[in-house]
Amino acid sequence: MMIIMEIEGKISTGYGKGAYFLGQDFYKSKFNEKLGFTPYPGTLNITVPKNYLDDIKNIKNSHANIIKPKEDFGGVKYIKAKLNDEIIGAIIFPDKTTHYENYLEFIAEENLRKKLKLKDGNKVNLKISV
């Protein structure tokens, strides 16, 4: 696994929509197939400084990792990443999102707020890999 970018950000509360979508069988099975794990139904929202945005866009646009849309569900791009050097997961970029550009949504197999005792404002580190 080659690291192509490292990002620091802060935990923030999302809108709760990720839990609904990640709870759908379609997404669960596709992420399991593509990433090797079934994601916890919810995303860990990380606010990143704006100086990372151009690099994140370039990485997002240069990867073909995508879960194609089905019926009423939108497509989702994803990039493998590691949180705080211990949690393997992925950053997801849903086609249909209401988040600002500087919000990243990280998925993993477990509830990360509970496992890592994370609260809003806590700093975290993401290593994006290929």
Side-chain angles (χ1 to χ4, degrees):
M1 186 157 64
M2 186 177 88
I3 296 168
I4 56 173
M5 184 177 180
E6 193 167 341
I7 301 171
E8 284 195 3
K10 291 183 180 179
I11 300 300
S12 58
T13 298
Y15 301 120
K17 293 180 181 180
Y20 171 76
F21 290 104
L22 289 173
Q24 300 300 309
D25 289 338
F26 170 72
Y27 288 117
K28 288 195 293 192
S29 66
K30 287 295 182 184
F31 279 121
N32 194 8
E33 174 188 319
K34 307 269 187 188
L35 294 169
F37 67 86
T38 301
Y40 172 80
T43 61
L44 184 68
N45 295 286
I46 302 166
T47 307
V48 299
K50 293 190 187 296
N51 61 307
Y52 288 116
L53 294 182
D54 287 341
D55 290 335
I56 291 168
K57 268 189 219 172
N58 289 337
I59 291 168
K60 174 186 165 189
N61 293 333
S62 68
H63 280 73
N65 299 340
I66 190 162
I67 293 174
K68 298 199 185 301
K70 178 189 171 199
E71 297 168 17
D72 294 339
F73 297 112
V76 179
K77 277 194 166 189
Y78 62 91
I79 301 171
K80 292 180 182 178
K82 195 172 198 180
L83 180 76
N84 289 350
D85 284 324
E86 67 176 293
I87 305 292
I88 294 172
I91 300 167
I92 60 170
F93 300 96
D95 286 347
K96 300 176 181 180
T97 185
T98 52
H99 284 300
Y100 292 109
E101 284 184 311
N102 67 325
Y103 270 71
L104 296 181
E105 295 183 83
F106 184 80
I107 61 169
E109 199 165 14
E110 302 175 78
N111 179 332
L112 299 177
R113 280 187 178 259
K114 284 185 181 172
K115 180 178 176 73
L116 302 175
K117 297 178 175 65
L118 295 171
K119 295 184 174 81
D120 283 2
N122 288 158
K123 287 185 180 178
V124 292
N125 175 279
L126 282 173
K127 289 182 180 169
I128 298 173
S129 58
V130 289

